[in-house]
Coordinates of all heavy atoms in Angstrom, one line a residue:
M1 N -5.5 -26.9 9.3 CA -4.5 -25.8 9.5 C -5.2 -24.5 9.2 O -6.1 -24.3 8.3 CB -3.5 -26.0 8.4 CG -2.2 -26.7 8.9 SD -0.9 -26.5 7.5 CE -0.2 -28.1 7.8
S2 N -4.8 -23.5 10.1 CA -5.3 -22.1 9.9 C -4.5 -21.5 8.9 O -3.3 -21.5 8.8 CB -5.5 -21.4 11.2 OG -4.1 -21.2 11.7
K3 N -5.2 -20.5 8.2 CA -4.6 -19.7 7.2 C -3.9 -18.4 8.0 O -4.4 -18.0 8.9 CB -5.5 -19.0 6.3 CG -5.8 -19.8 4.9 CD -6.5 -19.0 4.0 CE -6.6 -19.7 2.6 NZ -7.4 -19.0 1.8
K4 N -2.7 -18.2 7.6 CA -2.0 -17.1 8.2 C -2.5 -15.8 7.4 O -2.5 -15.7 6.3 CB -0.4 -17.3 7.8 CG 0.4 -16.3 8.6 CD 1.8 -16.7 8.3 CE 2.9 -16.0 9.2 NZ 4.2 -16.3 8.9
V5 N -2.9 -14.8 8.4 CA -3.4 -13.6 7.9 C -2.1 -12.7 7.6 O -1.4 -12.4 8.6 CB -4.4 -12.9 8.9 CG1 -4.8 -11.6 8.4 CG2 -5.6 -13.9 9.2
E6 N -2.1 -12.1 6.4 CA -0.9 -11.3 6.1 C -1.2 -9.9 6.5 O -2.2 -9.3 6.1 CB -0.7 -11.5 4.6 CG 0.6 -11.2 4.2 CD 0.7 -11.3 2.6 OE1 0.7 -12.5 2.2 OE2 1.1 -10.4 1.9
Q7 N -0.3 -9.3 7.3 CA -0.4 -7.9 7.8 C 0.0 -7.1 6.5 O 1.0 -7.4 5.9 CB 0.5 -7.7 8.9 CG 0.0 -8.4 10.1 CD -1.2 -7.7 10.8 OE1 -2.0 -7.2 10.1 NE2 -1.4 -8.1 12.0
P8 N -0.7 -5.9 6.4 CA -0.2 -4.9 5.4 C 1.1 -4.4 5.7 O 1.5 -4.2 6.9 CB -1.3 -4.0 5.4 CG -2.0 -4.1 6.7 CD -1.8 -5.5 7.2
A9 N 1.9 -4.2 4.7 CA 3.3 -3.7 4.9 C 3.1 -2.2 5.1 O 2.1 -1.5 4.7 CB 4.1 -3.9 3.6
N10 N 4.1 -1.6 5.8 CA 4.1 -0.1 6.1 C 4.5 0.6 4.7 O 5.0 -0.2 3.7 CB 5.0 0.3 7.2 CG 6.5 0.1 7.0 OD1 7.0 0.1 5.9 ND2 7.2 -0.2 8.0
F11 N 4.2 1.8 4.7 CA 4.3 2.5 3.4 C 5.8 2.6 2.9 O 6.0 2.5 1.7 CB 3.9 4.1 3.6 CG 3.8 4.8 2.3 CD1 2.9 4.5 1.5 CD2 4.7 5.8 2.1 CE1 2.9 5.3 0.2 CE2 4.8 6.5 0.9 CZ 3.8 6.3 0.0
E12 N 6.7 2.7 3.8 CA 8.2 2.7 3.3 C 8.6 1.2 2.8 O 9.3 1.2 1.9 CB 9.1 2.9 4.6 CG 8.8 4.4 5.0 CD 7.7 4.9 5.9 OE1 7.0 3.8 6.3 OE2 7.4 6.0 6.0
T13 N 8.1 0.3 3.3 CA 8.4 -1.1 2.7 C 7.7 -1.2 1.4 O 8.5 -1.8 0.4 CB 7.8 -2.2 3.7 OG1 8.4 -2.0 5.0 CG2 8.1 -3.6 3.2
I14 N 6.6 -0.8 1.3 CA 5.8 -0.8 0.0 C 6.7 0.0 -1.0 O 6.9 -0.5 -2.2 CB 4.4 -0.3 0.0 CG1 3.6 -1.1 0.9 CG2 3.9 0.1 -1.4 CD1 2.2 -0.5 1.2
L15 N 7.2 1.2 -0.8 CA 8.0 2.0 -1.8 C 9.3 1.2 -2.2 O 9.6 1.2 -3.3 CB 8.3 3.3 -1.2 CG 7.2 4.3 -1.3 CD1 7.7 5.6 -0.7 CD2 6.7 4.5 -2.5
K16 N 9.9 0.6 -1.1 CA 11.2 0.0 -1.4 C 10.9 -1.3 -2.2 O 11.6 -1.5 -3.2 CB 11.8 -0.4 0.1 CG 13.2 -1.1 -0.1 CD 13.6 -1.8 1.2 CE 13.1 -3.1 1.3 NZ 13.3 -4.0 2.3
D17 N 9.9 -2.1 -2.0 CA 9.5 -3.2 -2.8 C 9.2 -2.7 -4.2 O 9.5 -3.4 -5.2 CB 8.3 -3.9 -2.3 CG 8.8 -4.7 -0.9 OD1 9.9 -4.7 -0.5 OD2 7.8 -5.0 -0.2
L18 N 8.4 -1.6 -4.4 CA 8.1 -1.1 -5.8 C 9.4 -0.6 -6.5 O 9.5 -1.0 -7.7 CB 7.2 0.1 -5.7 CG 5.7 -0.4 -5.4 CD1 4.9 0.9 -5.1 CD2 5.1 -1.0 -6.7
E19 N 10.4 -0.1 -5.9 CA 11.6 0.4 -6.4 C 12.4 -1.0 -6.9 O 12.9 -0.9 -8.1 CB 12.4 1.1 -5.5 CG 11.9 2.5 -5.3 CD 12.7 3.2 -4.1 OE1 13.6 2.7 -3.5 OE2 12.3 4.4 -3.9
Q20 N 12.4 -2.0 -6.1 CA 13.1 -3.2 -6.5 C 12.4 -3.8 -7.7 O 13.1 -4.4 -8.7 CB 13.1 -4.1 -5.4 CG 14.0 -3.7 -4.3 CD 13.9 -4.6 -3.1 OE1 13.1 -5.5 -2.9 NE2 14.7 -4.4 -2.1
I21 N 11.0 -3.8 -7.8 CA 10.4 -4.4 -8.8 C 10.6 -3.6 -10.2 O 10.9 -4.2 -11.4 CB 8.8 -4.4 -8.6 CG1 8.5 -5.4 -7.6 CG2 7.9 -4.7 -10.0 CD1 7.0 -5.4 -7.1
V22 N 10.7 -2.3 -10.0 CA 11.0 -1.5 -11.2 C 12.3 -1.7 -11.8 O 12.6 -2.0 -12.9 CB 10.8 0.1 -10.9 CG1 11.4 0.9 -12.0 CG2 9.3 0.4 -10.7
T23 N 13.3 -1.8 -10.8 CA 14.7 -2.2 -11.2 C 14.8 -3.5 -12.0 O 15.5 -3.7 -13.0 CB 15.6 -2.3 -10.0 OG1 15.5 -0.9 -9.4 CG2 17.0 -2.5 -10.3
R24 N 14.0 -4.5 -11.5 CA 14.1 -5.8 -12.2 C 13.3 -5.8 -13.5 O 13.8 -6.4 -14.5 CB 13.4 -7.0 -11.4 CG 14.2 -7.3 -10.0 CD 13.6 -8.6 -9.3 NE 12.4 -8.4 -8.8 CZ 12.2 -7.8 -7.6 NH1 13.1 -7.6 -6.8 NH2 10.9 -7.8 -7.0
L25 N 12.3 -5.1 -13.5 CA 11.6 -4.9 -14.8 C 12.4 -4.2 -15.9 O 12.6 -4.5 -17.0 CB 10.3 -4.3 -14.7 CG 9.2 -5.0 -14.0 CD1 7.9 -4.2 -13.7 CD2 8.7 -6.3 -15.0
E26 N 13.1 -3.1 -15.5 CA 14.0 -2.3 -16.3 C 15.2 -3.1 -16.8 O 15.9 -2.7 -17.7 CB 14.4 -1.0 -15.7 CG 13.1 -0.1 -15.6 CD 13.5 1.2 -14.9 OE1 14.5 1.4 -14.1 OE2 12.8 2.3 -15.1
S27 N 15.6 -4.1 -16.1 CA 16.9 -4.8 -16.4 C 16.7 -5.6 -17.6 O 17.7 -5.8 -18.3 CB 17.2 -5.7 -15.2 OG 16.4 -7.0 -15.3
G28 N 15.6 -5.7 -18.1 CA 15.3 -6.6 -19.4 C 15.8 -8.1 -19.3 O 15.8 -8.8 -20.3
E29 N 16.1 -8.5 -18.1 CA 16.5 -9.9 -18.0 C 15.3 -10.9 -17.5 O 15.7 -12.1 -17.4 CB 17.7 -10.0 -16.9 CG 18.9 -9.2 -17.3 CD 19.9 -9.2 -16.3 OE1 19.8 -9.8 -15.2 OE2 21.0 -8.3 -16.4
L30 N 14.2 -10.5 -17.5 CA 13.1 -11.3 -17.0 C 12.4 -12.0 -18.2 O 12.3 -11.3 -19.3 CB 12.0 -10.6 -16.0 CG 12.5 -9.9 -14.9 CD1 11.4 -9.2 -14.2 CD2 13.1 -11.0 -13.9
S31 N 12.0 -13.1 -18.1 CA 11.1 -13.7 -19.1 C 9.7 -13.0 -19.1 O 9.4 -12.2 -18.1 CB 10.9 -15.2 -18.8 OG 10.0 -15.4 -17.7
L32 N 9.0 -13.1 -20.0 CA 7.7 -12.6 -20.2 C 6.8 -12.9 -19.0 O 6.3 -12.0 -18.3 CB 7.0 -12.9 -21.4 CG 5.5 -12.3 -21.7 CD1 5.5 -10.8 -21.5 CD2 5.0 -12.8 -22.8
E33 N 6.8 -14.2 -18.6 CA 5.9 -14.7 -17.6 C 6.5 -14.1 -16.2 O 5.7 -13.6 -15.3 CB 6.1 -16.2 -17.5 CG 5.1 -16.8 -16.4 CD 3.7 -16.5 -16.7 OE1 3.3 -16.5 -17.9 OE2 2.9 -16.4 -15.8
Q34 N 7.8 -14.0 -16.0 CA 8.3 -13.3 -14.7 C 8.0 -11.9 -14.7 O 7.6 -11.3 -13.6 CB 9.9 -13.5 -14.7 CG 10.4 -14.9 -14.5 CD 11.8 -15.0 -14.7 OE1 12.4 -14.5 -15.6 NE2 12.5 -15.9 -13.8
A35 N 8.1 -11.2 -15.8 CA 7.8 -9.7 -15.9 C 6.3 -9.5 -15.5 O 6.0 -8.6 -14.8 CB 8.2 -9.3 -17.2
L36 N 5.5 -10.5 -16.1 CA 4.0 -10.2 -15.7 C 3.8 -10.4 -14.3 O 2.9 -9.7 -13.7 CB 3.2 -11.2 -16.6 CG 3.1 -10.7 -18.1 CD1 2.4 -12.0 -18.8 CD2 2.3 -9.5 -18.2
K37 N 4.4 -11.4 -13.6 CA 4.3 -11.6 -12.3 C 4.7 -10.5 -11.4 O 4.2 -10.1 -10.5 CB 5.0 -12.9 -11.8 CG 4.3 -14.2 -12.2 CD 5.1 -15.4 -11.8 CE 4.3 -16.6 -12.3 NZ 5.0 -17.9 -12.0
E38 N 5.8 -9.9 -11.9 CA 6.4 -8.7 -11.2 C 5.5 -7.6 -11.4 O 5.2 -6.9 -10.4 CB 7.8 -8.3 -11.7 CG 8.9 -9.4 -11.3 CD 9.3 -9.3 -10.0 OE1 9.3 -8.2 -9.3 OE2 9.9 -10.3 -9.4
F39 N 4.9 -7.3 -12.5 CA 4.0 -6.2 -12.9 C 2.8 -6.5 -11.9 O 2.3 -5.4 -11.4 CB 3.6 -6.2 -14.2 CG 2.7 -5.1 -14.6 CD1 3.2 -3.8 -14.7 CD2 1.5 -5.3 -14.8 CE1 2.4 -2.7 -15.1 CE2 0.6 -4.3 -15.1 CZ 1.1 -2.9 -15.3
E40 N 2.3 -7.6 -11.9 CA 1.0 -7.9 -11.1 C 1.3 -7.6 -9.6 O 0.5 -6.9 -8.9 CB 0.8 -9.4 -11.2 CG -0.6 -9.8 -10.3 CD -1.0 -11.1 -10.7 OE1 -0.2 -12.0 -11.3 OE2 -2.0 -11.6 -10.0
Q41 N 2.5 -7.9 -9.0 CA 2.8 -7.6 -7.7 C 3.0 -6.2 -7.5 O 2.5 -5.6 -6.4 CB 4.2 -8.3 -7.3 CG 4.5 -8.1 -5.9 CD 3.7 -8.7 -4.9 OE1 2.9 -9.5 -5.2 NE2 3.6 -8.0 -3.6
G42 N 3.6 -5.4 -8.5 CA 3.7 -4.0 -8.4 C 2.3 -3.2 -8.4 O 2.2 -2.3 -7.6
V43 N 1.3 -3.8 -9.2 CA 0.0 -3.3 -9.0 C -0.5 -3.3 -7.6 O -1.2 -2.5 -7.1 CB -1.0 -3.9 -10.2 CG1 -2.4 -3.5 -10.0 CG2 -0.4 -3.5 -11.6
K44 N -0.5 -4.5 -7.1 CA -1.0 -4.8 -5.8 C -0.3 -3.8 -4.8 O -1.1 -3.4 -3.8 CB -0.7 -6.4 -5.3 CG -1.6 -7.3 -6.1 CD -1.2 -8.7 -5.7 CE -2.0 -9.7 -6.5 NZ -1.7 -11.2 -6.1
L45 N 1.0 -3.8 -4.8 CA 1.8 -2.7 -4.0 C 1.3 -1.4 -4.1 O 1.1 -0.7 -3.1 CB 3.2 -3.0 -4.1 CG 3.9 -4.4 -3.6 CD1 5.2 -4.4 -4.0 CD2 3.7 -4.4 -2.0
T46 N 1.0 -1.0 -5.3 CA 0.7 0.4 -5.6 C -0.8 0.6 -4.9 O -1.0 1.7 -4.3 CB 0.5 0.6 -7.2 OG1 1.7 0.4 -7.6 CG2 0.1 2.0 -7.4
R47 N -1.7 -0.3 -5.1 CA -3.0 -0.2 -4.4 C -2.9 -0.1 -2.9 O -3.6 0.6 -2.4 CB -3.9 -1.3 -4.9 CG -4.3 -1.2 -6.4 CD -5.2 -2.3 -6.8 NE -5.6 -2.1 -8.3 CZ -5.8 -3.1 -9.0 NH1 -6.0 -4.4 -8.6 NH2 -6.1 -2.9 -10.3
Q48 N -2.0 -0.9 -2.4 CA -1.9 -0.9 -1.0 C -1.4 0.5 -0.5 O -1.8 1.0 0.4 CB -0.8 -1.9 -0.4 CG -1.4 -3.2 -0.3 CD -0.3 -4.3 0.3 OE1 0.7 -4.1 -0.2 NE2 -0.7 -5.1 1.2
G49 N -0.3 1.0 -1.2 CA 0.3 2.4 -1.0 C -0.8 3.3 -1.1 O -0.7 4.4 -0.4
Q50 N -1.6 3.4 -2.3 CA -2.6 4.4 -2.3 C -3.6 4.4 -1.2 O -4.1 5.5 -0.6 CB -3.3 4.2 -3.6 CG -2.6 4.6 -4.9 CD -3.2 4.1 -6.2 OE1 -4.0 3.1 -6.2 NE2 -2.8 4.8 -7.2
K51 N -3.9 3.1 -0.8 CA -4.9 3.1 0.4 C -4.3 3.6 1.6 O -4.9 4.4 2.5 CB -5.2 1.5 0.7 CG -6.2 1.2 1.7 CD -6.5 -0.2 1.7 CE -7.4 -0.5 2.8 NZ -7.8 -2.1 2.8
T52 N -3.0 3.4 1.9 CA -2.4 3.9 3.1 C -2.4 5.4 3.0 O -2.5 6.1 4.0 CB -0.9 3.3 3.2 OG1 -1.0 1.9 3.2 CG2 -0.1 3.8 4.4
L53 N -2.0 6.0 1.9 CA -2.0 7.4 1.7 C -3.2 8.0 1.9 O -3.5 9.1 2.4 CB -1.4 7.8 0.3 CG 0.0 7.6 0.0 CD1 0.4 7.9 -1.4 CD2 0.9 8.6 1.0
Q54 N -4.4 7.4 1.4 CA -5.8 7.8 1.6 C -6.1 7.9 3.1 O -6.7 8.9 3.4 CB -6.8 7.0 0.8 CG -8.2 7.5 0.9 CD -9.1 6.6 0.1 OE1 -8.9 5.5 -0.1 NE2 -10.2 7.2 -0.4
Q55 N -5.9 6.8 3.7 CA -6.0 6.8 5.2 C -5.3 7.9 6.0 O -5.9 8.5 6.8 CB -5.8 5.4 5.8 CG -6.8 4.3 5.4 CD -6.3 2.9 5.8 OE1 -5.1 2.7 6.1 NE2 -7.2 2.0 5.7
A56 N -4.1 8.1 5.6 CA -3.3 9.2 6.2 C -3.9 10.5 6.0 O -4.0 11.4 6.9 CB -1.9 9.1 5.8
E57 N -4.3 10.8 4.8 CA -5.0 12.0 4.4 C -6.3 12.3 5.2 O -6.6 13.4 5.7 CB -5.4 12.0 2.8 CG -5.9 13.4 2.5 CD -6.2 13.4 1.0 OE1 -5.8 12.5 0.2 OE2 -6.7 14.4 0.5
Q58 N -7.0 11.2 5.4 CA -8.3 11.3 6.1 C -7.9 11.7 7.6 O -8.7 12.4 8.2 CB -9.1 10.0 6.1 CG -9.7 9.6 4.7 CD -10.3 8.4 4.6 OE1 -10.1 7.4 5.5 NE2 -11.1 8.1 3.6
R59 N -7.0 11.0 8.1 CA -6.6 11.3 9.5 C -6.1 12.8 9.7 O -6.4 13.4 10.5 CB -5.4 10.3 9.9 CG -5.8 9.0 10.2 CD -4.8 8.0 10.5 NE -4.3 8.4 11.9 CZ -3.1 7.8 12.4 NH1 -2.4 7.1 11.6 NH2 -2.7 8.2 13.6
V60 N -5.4 13.3 8.6 CA -5.0 14.7 8.7 C -6.2 15.6 8.7 O -6.3 16.5 9.4 CB -4.0 15.1 7.5 CG1 -3.9 16.5 7.4 CG2 -2.6 14.3 7.8
Q61 N -7.2 15.2 7.8 CA -8.4 16.1 7.7 C -9.2 16.2 9.1 O -9.7 17.1 9.4 CB -9.3 15.6 6.5 CG -8.8 15.8 5.2 CD -8.5 17.3 4.9 OE1 -9.3 18.1 5.3 NE2 -7.5 17.6 4.2
V62 N -9.2 15.0 9.7 CA -9.9 14.9 11.0 C -9.1 15.9 12.0 O -9.7 16.5 12.8 CB -10.0 13.4 11.6 CG1 -10.4 13.6 12.9 CG2 -11.0 12.7 10.7
L63 N -7.8 15.7 12.0 CA -7.0 16.5 13.0 C -7.1 18.0 12.6 O -7.0 18.8 13.5 CB -5.5 16.1 12.9 CG -5.3 14.6 13.5 CD1 -3.9 14.2 13.1 CD2 -5.6 14.6 14.9
L64 N -7.4 18.4 11.4 CA -7.5 19.8 11.0 C -8.8 20.2 11.1 O -9.0 21.6 11.0 CB -6.9 20.0 9.5 CG -5.3 19.8 9.4 CD1 -4.9 19.9 8.0 CD2 -4.5 20.6 10.3
N65 N -9.8 19.4 11.4 CA -11.2 19.9 11.5 C -11.3 20.9 12.6 O -10.7 20.9 13.7 CB -12.0 18.5 11.9 CG -13.5 18.8 11.7 OD1 -14.0 19.8 11.6 ND2 -14.2 17.7 11.8
D66 N -12.3 21.8 12.4 CA -12.5 22.9 13.4 C -13.0 22.3 14.8 O -12.9 23.0 15.7 CB -13.6 23.9 12.8 CG -13.0 24.6 11.7 OD1 -11.6 24.9 11.6 OD2 -13.6 25.2 10.9
N67 N -13.7 21.2 14.8 CA -14.2 20.7 15.9 C -13.1 20.0 16.7 O -13.0 18.7 16.7 CB -15.3 19.6 15.5 CG -16.1 19.3 16.9 OD1 -15.8 19.6 17.9 ND2 -17.1 18.5 16.6
F68 N -12.4 20.7 17.6 CA -11.2 20.1 18.3 C -11.6 19.1 19.4 O -10.9 18.3 19.9 CB -10.4 21.2 19.0 CG -9.8 22.1 18.0 CD1 -10.1 23.4 17.8 CD2 -8.7 21.6 17.2 CE1 -9.6 24.2 16.9 CE2 -8.1 22.5 16.4 CZ -8.5 23.8 16.1
D69 N -13.0 19.1 19.8 CA -13.4 18.1 20.8 C -14.0 16.9 20.2 O -14.4 16.0 21.0 CB -14.5 18.9 21.6 CG -14.1 20.1 22.4 OD1 -12.9 20.1 22.7 OD2 -14.8 21.0 22.6
A70 N -13.9 16.8 18.9 CA -14.5 15.5 18.3 C -13.5 14.4 18.6 O -12.3 14.5 18.6 CB -14.5 15.8 16.8
P71 N -14.2 13.3 19.0 CA -13.2 12.1 19.3 C -12.6 11.5 18.0 O -13.2 11.6 17.0 CB -14.3 11.1 19.9 CG -15.6 11.5 19.3 CD -15.5 12.9 19.1
L72 N -11.4 11.2 18.3 CA -10.6 10.5 17.0 C -10.9 9.0 17.1 O -10.7 8.2 18.2 CB -9.2 10.7 17.2 CG -8.7 12.2 17.1 CD1 -7.2 12.3 17.2 CD2 -9.1 12.7 15.8
V73 N -11.4 8.4 15.9 CA -11.7 7.0 15.9 C -11.0 6.4 14.6 O -10.8 7.2 13.7 CB -13.3 6.7 15.7 CG1 -14.0 7.2 17.0 CG2 -13.7 7.4 14.5
P74 N -10.6 5.2 14.8 CA -10.0 4.6 13.6 C -10.8 4.5 12.4 O -12.1 4.3 12.6 CB -9.5 3.2 14.1 CG -9.9 3.2 15.6 CD -10.7 4.2 15.9
F75 N -10.3 4.6 11.1 CA -11.1 4.5 10.1 C -11.2 3.0 9.6 O -10.3 2.2 9.9 CB -10.4 5.2 8.8 CG -10.4 6.6 9.0 CD1 -9.3 7.3 9.4 CD2 -11.6 7.3 8.6 CE1 -9.3 8.7 9.5 CE2 -11.6 8.8 8.6 CZ -10.4 9.4 9.2
A76 N -12.5 2.6 9.3 CA -12.8 1.4 9.0 C -12.2 1.0 7.6 O -12.2 2.0 6.7 CB -14.2 1.1 8.8
E77 N -11.6 -0.1 7.4 CA -10.9 -0.3 6.1 C -12.1 -0.8 5.0 O -13.0 -1.6 5.4 CB -10.0 -1.5 6.2 CG -8.7 -1.1 6.9 CD -7.6 -2.1 6.7 OE1 -7.6 -2.8 5.7 OE2 -6.9 -2.1 7.7
K78 N -12.0 -0.3 3.8 CA -13.0 -0.5 2.8 C -12.4 -1.7 2.0 O -11.1 -1.6 1.6 CB -13.1 0.7 1.9 CG -13.8 1.8 2.6 CD -13.9 3.0 1.6 CE -14.4 4.3 2.4 NZ -14.4 5.4 1.6
E79 N -13.2 -2.8 1.7 CA -12.6 -3.8 1.0 C -13.4 -3.9 -0.2 O -14.4 -3.6 -0.5 CB -12.9 -5.2 1.8 CG -12.0 -5.4 3.0 CD -10.5 -5.4 2.7 OE1 -10.2 -6.1 1.6 OE2 -9.7 -5.0 3.5

């Protein structure tokens, strides 16, 4: 069987998921183990969101660059 490659979520989905995690954590109804799992997922989503924002910032910098004739190329993802 082949592994399913997970596509990164868009920024809006990441924010929505983070808000839901915060709500669940603030409810105080989770066990310690559940809270830790939620926190871990929140950290992963935060990193994805930061990466997305960084890539957007880089694209804006290229677009604002003085060299209007420079070709636009996709940024390579850093792992």
